[in-house]
Amino acid sequence: MTDQRPFPGIAFRLAGFASAAAIACASAAAAQDAGTVTIGRTSDADRYDPQRSSALAAAEVLYMIGDTLVTLSSDLKTVEPALAESWDISEDGLTYTFHLKDGVTFCDGRAFTAQDVVGSMERWLTPDGPYVSTWKAGIVDSVTTPDDLTVVYKLKAPSSGLLYQMAQFNFIIIDPEQAESLGDDFGVTAFNGTGPFCFESWNPNDSVVLSAHEGYSWGSPALGNTGPAKVDKVVWKIVPEEATLAASLQAGEIDASYSLPAWSIAQFEADPSVTLLQPEAAFRTHYLGMKVTRDFMKDIRVREAVSHAIDQSAIADAIFFGTVEPTESYYAEEALDYDPSIDTTPFAYDPAKTETLLTEAGFTKGDDGFWQKDGTPLTLTYYGFNTSREQAETVQGDLRKAGINLNVELYDSTAIWAKLREQTYDLYQMDYPYLNAGDALNLYFASSSVPSPNRMMWEDEETDRLLEAGNSAVNADARAEAFMALGKHLHEAILWKPLLLEKPTVAIGPRLVPFEPAGISGAAFGTGLNLELQ
């Protein structure tokens, strides 16, 4: 972490934090069990089934109790062995042959074989099944096994990002027989995995207890410890209130967390008993999407004018207290296949440019200081999450200063998706995780993704052509060429106002040895193999 100054306006929060810490110290200052690491978080998952959950809370546990065929280096750019020790790809990019590690076992002692991979994929790709994120698997023709240590994965069309997607938690290999026998209770009452920890118990909305997998030795060398785990148990503890969670870390009730409120980070930077850590690479971007089919937003000059009016640096400092970085690009410049020649100047804060652009677009300022055109005020509608109220109010204030009226409508996470489907917004607020440029571009910009998640309503032949070229590329150079060209094309269209680039900040107490957090899927504790007590 870079040095950070104390931030005005958080004294009341820190006072409450200190008070909560004192209460926590008084109520439960007892030392934790030797060999046990307790990680605090604010929310639980609905189940621990990699094929039926898309929640970060599920990923956090699943990476510890299961393994994927491949994983990624710390910079998220290089595919590394996991359950597969090596693999071959056919020249046409349609057939992947995985050679599996020998000697891998499930927590119940049963030997892991290629048939477990086949069974995992068959369950996940069941037509009309209750399974999520199956697009990550590509257009699968067949998954077969000629022997116990070989898997042949055939596609109907090339998928240049397949190996990168295979590092994500939805690809964790399950025990297919257990999944079939437990039905809806799989990942709820039990989970038999090959990971460095074993699923011991789950008390929903309270805690998940994991115990070290005896004999585990097949972790990826590129990520540090190959196994076994250096601690006996990991307890994932739910602490719903952010202030209480922060106080629990200071009191020693938990050993680590990355669910901490941004306002507590300044306090922890001054606390010698707490160490702050960040992964080398972990990508999550906050942005404002612009709906290009709306009357005002059809004009690219209006979109750019709106972009220049919003100060993302002020949002980073005043709301996130410097724990995030302001950004001027749709996805991180460090991400694989980002084109460094992209012109990001349309996304810089420059209110003078706003005035120039709106004048060029035929707008005039009224006596009240607000822009109008042909007698119609330039008034825009913004949809956002009610958890991002401060961010919405800051955007509204910036636009008002620039002479643009903004009607802000905020909704909880259960209502906003239906509201977005009504198509009555000009701007919407969102944040999203991704692995690389191709992952980000595929998530949002295809014409086939209108109206969701392509909420910009961007339908463009060149975008679709370059997406297809990138996705069907059979070598890294062709993939990079297509995705870099597409990234430049979409930035030139000004479809978003990029705001913030977020990495998880992990705070650890004095019992833990500092380690490098993971970046895949946002699950910063990764496999847990690098957790070690002092």
Side-chain angles (χ1 to χ4, degrees), residues 264 392 528:
S264 71

Side-chain angles (χ1 to χ4, degrees), residues 139-453:
I139 304 174
V140 177
D141 185 8
S142 64
V143 183
T144 58
T145 170
D147 58 60
D148 282 351
L149 295 177
T150 307
V151 173
V152 180
Y153 192 107
K154 289 188 176 182
L155 298 171
K156 295 179 180 179
S159 175
S160 65
L162 178 63
L163 290 176
Y164 295 94
Q165 294 296 343
M166 281 186 164
Q168 301 221 53
F169 75 98
N170 300 114
F171 274 93
I172 283 173
I173 303 305
I174 64 171
D175 178 345
E177 293 182 1
Q178 183 192 54
E180 183 177 3
S181 65
L182 289 180
D184 283 345
D185 287 333
F186 176 68
V188 177
T189 59
F191 183 95
N192 184 35
T194 65
F197 292 89
C198 298
F199 186 93
E200 187 172 308
S201 65
W202 177 31
N203 184 6
N205 295 314
D206 180 74
S207 62
V208 180
V209 180
L210 313 178
S211 56
H213 185 169
E214 185 177 351
Y216 186 95
S217 61
W218 45 89
S220 175
L223 300 182
N225 180 28
T226 59
K230 299 174 184 177
V231 299
D232 299 330
K233 288 183 183 292
V234 172
V235 177
W236 288 90
K237 181 69 178 173
I238 305 299
V239 184
E241 297 295 329
E242 287 185 337
T244 305
L245 179 65
S248 297
L249 179 64
Q250 192 176 58
E253 295 177 321
I254 61 173
D255 294 301
S257 180
Y258 64 98
S259 301
L260 297 165
W263 53 261
S264 71
I265 299 300
Q267 176 89 350
F268 284 128
E269 283 190 312
D271 186 341
S273 69
V274 175
T275 302
L276 301 179
L277 311 167
Q278 285 191 325
E280 178 181 347
F283 306 131
R284 177 179 288 273
T285 293
H286 298 243
Y287 72 94
L288 289 183
M290 302 181 182
K291 187 180 175 189
V292 300
T293 55
R294 296 282 279 182
D295 288 344
F296 287 130
M297 306 306 285
K298 290 176 182 177
D299 191 331
I300 192 172
R301 295 169 296 185
V302 175
R303 301 200 296 271
E304 185 175 353
V306 169
S307 174
H308 285 304
I310 299 168
D311 186 356
Q312 57 264 61
S313 293
I315 294 173
D317 287 343
I319 299 174
F320 292 88
F321 308 108
T323 61
V324 298
E325 295 291 331
T327 187
E328 295 176 359
S329 54
Y330 293 179
Y331 40 88
E333 296 180 19
E334 297 81 14
L336 182 71
D337 296 338
Y338 180 88
D339 184 350
S341 71
I342 287 173
D343 179 13
T344 60
T345 56
F347 310 103
Y349 176 56
D350 187 352
K353 187 68 172 174
T354 297
E355 185 150 347
T356 299
L357 285 162
L358 290 178
T359 300
E360 289 177 359
F363 289 83
T364 57
K365 267 191 176 179
D367 294 338
D368 59 359
F370 286 89
W371 295 95
Q372 60 86 33
K373 186 176 184 179
D374 300 328
T376 302
L378 177 52
T379 298
L380 304 175
T381 297
Y382 169 113
Y383 286 176
F385 292 83
N386 56 13
T387 53
S388 300
R389 180 174 298 278
E390 288 178 292
Q391 185 170 312
E393 290 173 348
T394 301
V395 170
Q396 184 182 47
D398 282 346
L399 291 179
R400 285 184 64 84
K401 285 188 291 186
I404 301 172
N405 265 316
L406 185 69
N407 294 326
V408 171
E409 298 184 25
L410 302 179
Y411 303 91
D412 65 31
S413 58
T414 62
I416 191 169
W417 310 111
K419 192 65 182 176
L420 284 164
R421 286 194 293 271
E422 294 179 6
Q423 306 294 324
T424 50
Y425 56 89
D426 298 287
L427 303 171
Y428 67 93
Q429 176 266 324
M430 204 72 66
D431 61 87
Y432 76 112
Y434 50 94
L435 287 175
N436 47 47
D439 192 25
L441 294 166
N442 272 285
L443 281 170
Y444 282 111
F445 296 99
S447 297
S448 59
S449 296
V450 170
S452 175

Side-chain angles (χ1 to χ4, degrees), residues 65-126:
I65 60 177
D67 290 308
T68 49
L69 290 176
V70 299
T71 188
L72 296 179
S73 57
S74 296
D75 63 3
L76 302 185
K77 293 184 177 180
T78 304
V79 182
E80 301 285 355
L83 286 176
E85 62 183 4
S86 64
W87 51 92
D88 307 305
I89 306 174
S90 64
E91 288 188 9
D92 62 7
L94 296 177
T95 302
Y96 292 68
T97 303
F98 295 96
H99 307 286
L100 307 182
K101 293 177 180 176
D102 197 6
V104 175
T105 61
F106 285 90
C107 279
D108 68 355
R110 182 175 69 81
F112 160 76
T113 72
Q115 192 56 50
D116 294 309
V117 180
V118 174
S120 295
M121 295 306 302
E122 286 179 345
R123 176 183 186 256
W124 189 26
L125 301 178
T126 299

